[in-house]
Amino acid sequence: MSRPTYDGEQTAVDADGNMLREWDSVVLVRALAATAQGNCEAMPKEIPAGTRATAITFLDPARGLFDLECYLDAAGDTYAFAHGAGADVRVVERIEDKKAVEI
């Protein structure tokens, strides 16, 4: 089943050839250089492969480049940022899989 896109939405392709869009949850398939500290005490030089992240912002559609919020602990409480292309990540949870709760 293909994922629907919305008027004007830009997408990329992940390392497995799956559609990647903003707010998808991903896992890094290769280590990436950290680009911003996030909320950790000291910014790591590198975010290791296997780290879970969220594709926050689509920075460069021509290169498929995203700003990734990378979770440095199992609970996801500590994070730093990295820039990664679709080939650097694997989608593990699509945004449309999430449920909205009306308040």
Side-chain angles (χ1 to χ4, degrees):
M1 183 170 123
S2 65
R3 295 175 73 182
T5 55
Y6 305 97
D7 190 32
E9 181 178 30
Q10 297 176 319
T11 62
V13 177
D14 78 353
D16 293 336
N18 297 308
M19 183 189 297
L20 172 62
R21 62 168 42 129
E22 290 177 336
W23 299 106
D24 281 347
S25 294
V26 298
V27 170
L28 305 184
V29 296
R30 64 179 56 94
L32 298 174
T35 57
Q37 185 171 341
N39 71 348
C40 49
E41 288 185 27
M43 185 170 85
K45 282 186 161 191
E46 186 175 83
I47 313 258
T51 300
R52 284 191 61 113
T54 299
I56 299 294
T57 305
F58 205 3
L59 299 172
D60 184 347
R63 295 188 303 153
L65 191 68
F66 283 85
D67 189 24
L68 304 169
E69 183 178 73
C70 303
Y71 307 111
L72 305 176
D73 60 4
D77 295 331
T78 305
Y79 59 89
F81 293 91
H83 293 169
D88 297 326
V89 300
R90 178 173 295 115
V91 174
V92 294
E93 183 180 50
R94 299 182 313 233
I95 186 62
E96 63 263 23
D97 290 343
K98 298 180 183 191
K99 304 288 184 216
V101 178
E102 262 186 55
I103 297 178

